[in-house]
Amino acid sequence: MASGTQSGAEFKKQLRAGEPKLGLFLNSHSPTVAEQLAHSGYDWLLVDSQHGPMGYEKLSAMLCGIASGGAKSLVRVGGYSDRPGIQQSLDLGADGVLVPYINTAEEARAAVSCTKYPTAGTRSVYFPQRSMNKDGLLGYAGSANNNLIVALQVETADCIKNIDEIATVPGIDILFLGQNDLCMSMGLYRKYEFPHMYTSPELGAATDKLVAAARQNDIILGLFLFGTSRVGEFLEKGFPFISLGNDLHHLLTQAGAYVKDVEEVSKSKAKTWKRRPTSLF
């Protein structure tokens, strides 16, 4: 069954049962790229409005493109206080939101409140809008609190410190590990040479604490990875909701593979060609 034909509640039920759902962040802010990747086989795509030049009209077009391919759609908003961003994302038909930089249970409650209609939350009701085009006002609003995917990002030392309390906040579906920012927040980039911070005992202990809190409260675990090399490891740790990077990284790595091939071919033909400087590690 295509992800887009499932209800959000069923999608989350499968995740809680341990069924992997793999996806990708979209940072190119291109509706064309979003539409093509929606047909690539990923279960979900996340439009990243936190990083990059994103306006609501562009977001609207990208969500339409994702819907055309049947993938589930999420939007990373600006933060727990970004009520306009959360409202617009959901009104435009996103299946859920990822709220970054959560540090306390109070911030988690504020984020969740913006995603839920009363009396569970404080999301504003309005009609007509794209989210209601299929099922109407009552059909959408009546089930939205159960169907929408509410993910909070775990990416600071304070979030790990407070994770046991954060995980008890009602309405959280996914706790999403951001290893890059968490390593930065914990000072691991200063302590370790890249990329050894990602396998450090400090990050391992923080991850274990997150896993324990999520399991205690029946919350889905997610994380962001660059590439596929550690997917199996995190599936075994109980992370079924995994991003394999972002569209721009996919573009660079594929281009890099071609560039490497051409370097080798040109050298073998005594017509040596060298690549220009690259942003890849």
Side-chain angles (χ1 to χ4, degrees):
M1 178 184 294
S3 296
T5 64
Q6 294 177 300
S7 69
E10 179 63 24
F11 188 82
K12 292 184 290 185
K13 180 180 178 181
Q14 292 177 348
L15 282 165
R16 285 192 167 92
E19 182 174 328
K21 302 287 186 183
L22 302 182
L24 192 69
F25 278 44
L26 303 181
N27 289 89
S28 66
H29 303 106
S30 165
T32 302
V33 171
E35 183 173 5
Q36 289 304 124
L37 287 172
H39 291 273
S40 69
Y42 284 113
D43 297 297
W44 56 271
L45 297 171
L46 181 146
V47 181
D48 189 357
S49 68
Q50 181 191 20
H51 291 290
M54 170 58 59
Y56 294 140
E57 290 186 0
K58 182 66 70 65
L59 174 61
S60 176
M62 292 182 73
L63 291 173
C64 281
I66 295 170
S68 76
K72 279 281 181 278
S73 61
L74 292 93
V75 179
R76 180 156 69 172
V77 297
Y80 71 91
S81 60
D82 185 16
R83 178 178 291 274
I86 295 172
Q87 181 81 48
Q88 288 281 353
S89 299
L90 299 181
D91 285 356
L92 290 171
D95 295 302
V97 293
L98 173 62
V99 184
Y101 217 77
I102 296 295
N103 293 286
T104 66
E106 181 180 6
E107 292 176 358
R109 279 189 288 270
V112 171
S113 178
C114 291
T115 71
K116 304 289 186 184
Y117 285 126
T119 58
T122 56
R123 180 183 173 190
S124 176
V125 183
Y126 190 77
F127 177 85
Q129 56 196 10
R130 182 184 299 136
S131 60
M132 298 177 178
N133 283 344
K134 181 179 178 181
D135 297 320
L137 169 61
L138 297 181
Y140 172 80
S143 58
N145 285 356
N146 291 326
N147 280 325
L148 292 175
I149 302 162
V150 180
L152 305 185
Q153 195 145 357
V154 178
E155 57 182 345
T156 68
D158 281 341
C159 187
I160 292 296
K161 182 179 70 175
N162 297 317
I163 196 63
D164 291 331
E165 184 181 0
I166 290 171
T168 65
V169 173
I172 300 172
D173 296 309
I174 299 173
L175 287 171
F176 190 88
L177 176 61
Q179 294 185 104
N180 294 326
D181 280 296
L182 183 55
C183 284
M184 190 74 74
S185 178
M186 294 173 66
L188 301 182
Y189 277 94
R190 293 193 302 271
K191 185 174 181 179
Y192 294 96
E193 182 180 350
F194 183 88
H196 299 297
M197 65 283 296
Y198 298 118
T199 54
S200 66
E202 294 93 335
L203 183 60
T207 302
D208 289 344
K209 187 175 181 183
L210 166 62
V211 170
R215 287 177 176 169
Q216 180 70 27
N217 294 278
D218 194 27
I219 295 176
I220 300 157
L221 286 162
L223 87 157
F224 183 94
L225 295 174
F226 274 124
T228 61
S229 63
R230 301 186 72 189
V231 169
E233 171 191 345
F234 279 97
L235 287 175
E236 288 182 339
K237 289 180 178 179
F239 286 75
F241 188 83
I242 299 176
S243 173
L244 303 184
N246 62 50
D247 53 353
L248 295 179
H249 186 256
H250 273 37
L251 178 68
L252 284 172
T253 53
Q254 184 62 64
Y258 284 143
V259 165
K260 181 180 178 181
D261 287 346
V262 172
E263 282 184 330
E264 294 174 355
V265 169
S266 66
K267 185 177 180 180
S268 72
K269 301 300 182 182
K271 300 289 185 179
T272 300
W273 175 81
K274 293 289 186 181
R275 75 183 72 187
R276 294 173 55 249
T278 171
S279 63
L280 292 174
F281 291 110

